[in-house]
Amino acid sequence: MDEALIRSLTPGVLTVLVRRGADFAAAEDAVQDALVEAVRGWPDDPPRDPKGWLVTVAWRRFLDASRADTARRRREDRVDEEPAPGPAPGVDDTLQLYFLCAHPSLTPSSAVALTLRAVGGLSTRQIARAYLVPEATMAQRISRAKRTVSGVRFDRPGDVATVLRVLYLVFNEGYSGDVDLAAEAIRLTRQLAASVDHPEVAGLLALMLLHHARRAARTAPDGSLVPLAEQDRGLWDTASIAEGVRILQAALARDRLGEFQAQAAIAALHADAPTAAETDWVQIVEWYDELARLTDNPVVRLNRAVAVGEADGPRAGLAELATLDDTLPRHTAVAAYLHERDGDLDTAARLYAEAAHKAPDLAERDHLVRQAARLNSRHRHGR
């Protein structure tokens, strides 16, 4: 069985059933039944038209289920309307699935799970492993999401911004278990970019590619985090960087700036610097100004304070930091870094230790503990 083929066909098959009148939950169940039949039969007898085969079998499974749940007259109407088996339409209209899975009534976690299942073609088990939750828990989450969007029809344009937020959430989950969610998010965003002409879709794809290009350098062999300034840039994926920059430049040329394009521009400036010392921090600050104007996001302003500290000196960065809420995530870690840059190692060590207690995950906590230990060791040795 070609798993990649199955995953690429699944969204289109699901869309065909929904367009024929099946509600989302019933259609998704029917498609899963068809996939089970494919796993059983295709290795020995592969069909000439895999998508057409899946559409035919899934539609029949849907009709079988309908016969058990609806009145006889309605059942017969549906049977009469069954299209004859044959090649499925070649049009890829899975874009509608993105909008359905990013329905505003869904929670972000449910929208992500449903997108991975319906558009990504991942199994419930794969999604559960990626999120490190029991399969039964993920099955309930997906079932609730399917019930929520059942009955929703494709009668109005979807919200691209909501779809992009869901895909960005998928990307930021990174990698765990047997599913690389960052790579999956890039695949889905490529698919979306091929379906809709929107500069922010291109901006998100560029951002993903530029961040993903640094992946191999982000951790040391022992699994510890490697800060951007200390990464081995020879490990960065230059092909992904070149593609991301090319996509970004085309999007920016359209003069419809959005937050993902601005974030991608910042990532591109980091990628363009041969060494950390050669980073164009002045231009990065300017892009953070644009991003802050677009989003008014306090986390953006926190990152801007770091950039100001690099461009204009740590005291300028600390002055910017003083204007922000000190309860912001990573505020203490940023303060520690800027104090270290300013030469106040005692304060920096204390703040690194404090930030470690607030760290959102084990890897970041360990990194901050090491930073505090490094400075305390220097202090003890009088360096």
Side-chain angles (χ1 to χ4, degrees):
M1 287 291 292
D2 186 341
E3 184 177 345
L5 174 64
I6 289 290
R7 287 171 59 184
S8 68
L9 293 176
T10 299
V13 175
L14 180 55
T15 305
V16 170
L17 266 65
V18 173
R19 285 196 178 281
R20 288 181 179 179
D23 69 77
F24 183 87
E28 211 272 340
D29 289 341
V31 171
Q32 293 302 315
D33 288 342
L35 293 176
V36 171
E37 290 298 314
V39 169
R40 291 172 178 167
W42 283 15
D44 298 325
D45 184 22
R48 287 192 298 271
D49 177 14
K51 182 178 179 181
W53 188 97
L54 287 170
V55 168
T56 298
V57 173
W59 183 249
R60 286 174 177 168
R61 293 293 180 275
F62 167 69
L63 292 177
D64 289 343
S66 296
R67 292 187 182 99
D69 297 330
T70 59
R72 181 179 180 81
R73 182 175 60 81
R74 179 58 178 158
R75 295 198 309 262
E76 292 175 350
D77 288 344
R78 285 192 181 277
V79 172
D80 291 341
E81 293 167 4
E82 178 183 353
V91 178
D92 180 9
D93 53 3
T94 59
L95 174 61
Q96 299 291 356
L97 286 184
Y98 283 91
F99 295 128
L100 189 64
C101 293
H103 196 270
S105 61
L106 294 174
T107 64
S109 61
S110 294
V112 167
L114 194 59
T115 298
L116 289 172
R117 175 65 179 265
V119 186
L122 300 183
S123 69
T124 302
R125 177 176 298 177
Q126 287 175 310
I127 301 169
R129 285 178 177 173
Y131 279 88
L132 304 177
V133 300
E135 185 175 351
T137 300
M138 185 56 68
Q140 291 176 350
R141 185 181 299 175
I142 293 173
S143 293
R144 286 195 298 269
K146 289 196 296 184
R147 287 196 299 271
T148 298
V149 300
S150 289
V152 175
R153 289 291 176 258
F154 300 146
D155 55 356
R156 58 182 178 177
D159 181 7
V160 172
T162 302
V163 174
L164 294 181
R165 282 195 294 273
V166 169
L167 289 174
Y168 195 42
L169 285 172
V170 175
F171 180 78
N172 284 332
E173 290 298 329
Y175 175 84
S176 59
D178 60 352
V179 178
D180 185 340
L181 290 180
E184 182 65 15
I186 291 172
R187 185 182 75 83
L188 295 177
T189 306
R190 285 190 190 280
Q191 198 177 75
L192 181 62
S195 303
V196 60
D197 182 21
H198 194 292
E200 272 293 81
V201 176
L204 178 59
L205 179 56
L207 176 63
M208 289 178 174
L209 289 168
L210 290 163
H211 279 317
H212 203 54
R214 303 200 297 262
R215 175 171 173 168
R218 283 202 187 102
T219 54
D222 63 0
S224 60
L225 292 179
V226 180
L228 177 61
E230 300 172 19
Q231 289 177 12
D232 179 355
R233 300 184 179 220
L235 297 176
W236 290 1
D237 182 348
T238 55
S240 292
I241 290 172
E243 183 185 8
V245 170
R246 184 172 65 252
I247 292 170
L248 173 62
Q249 288 174 337
L252 291 175
R254 300 177 64 175
D255 198 24
R256 289 171 54 195
L257 184 63
E259 62 177 293
F260 289 118
Q261 293 170 73
Q263 287 187 60
I266 293 168
L269 286 167
H270 284 297
D272 187 54
T275 66
E278 296 173 85
T279 304
D280 188 345
W281 286 106
V282 172
Q283 196 172 167
I284 287 176
V285 171
E286 292 174 355
W287 276 110
Y288 271 122
D289 289 339
E290 290 286 351
L291 190 55
R293 180 182 61 80
L294 289 165
T295 66
D296 195 27
N297 186 323
V299 176
V300 169
R301 298 188 182 278
L302 183 66
N303 292 331
R304 181 183 179 279
V306 176
V308 168
E310 299 289 355
D312 300 329
R315 294 195 178 182
L318 287 167
E320 290 290 333
L321 191 64
T323 67
L324 302 176
D325 183 352
D326 62 8
T327 64
L328 280 173
R330 298 187 173 89
H331 185 285
T332 307
V334 169
Y337 173 75
L338 291 172
H339 276 291
E340 180 183 358
R341 292 263 286 111
D342 194 38
D344 186 353
L345 303 190
D346 288 341
T347 300
R350 176 178 57 78
L351 289 172
Y352 276 129
E354 184 181 329
H357 289 292
K358 303 175 182 178
D361 57 61
L362 185 60
E364 186 170 332
R365 187 199 71 184
D366 289 348
H367 170 71
L368 292 167
V369 167
R370 283 193 296 271
Q371 297 295 89
R374 173 179 56 82
L375 293 185
N376 285 326
S377 176
R378 288 176 60 178
H379 180 72
R380 284 194 301 271
H381 291 86
R383 291 182 296 179

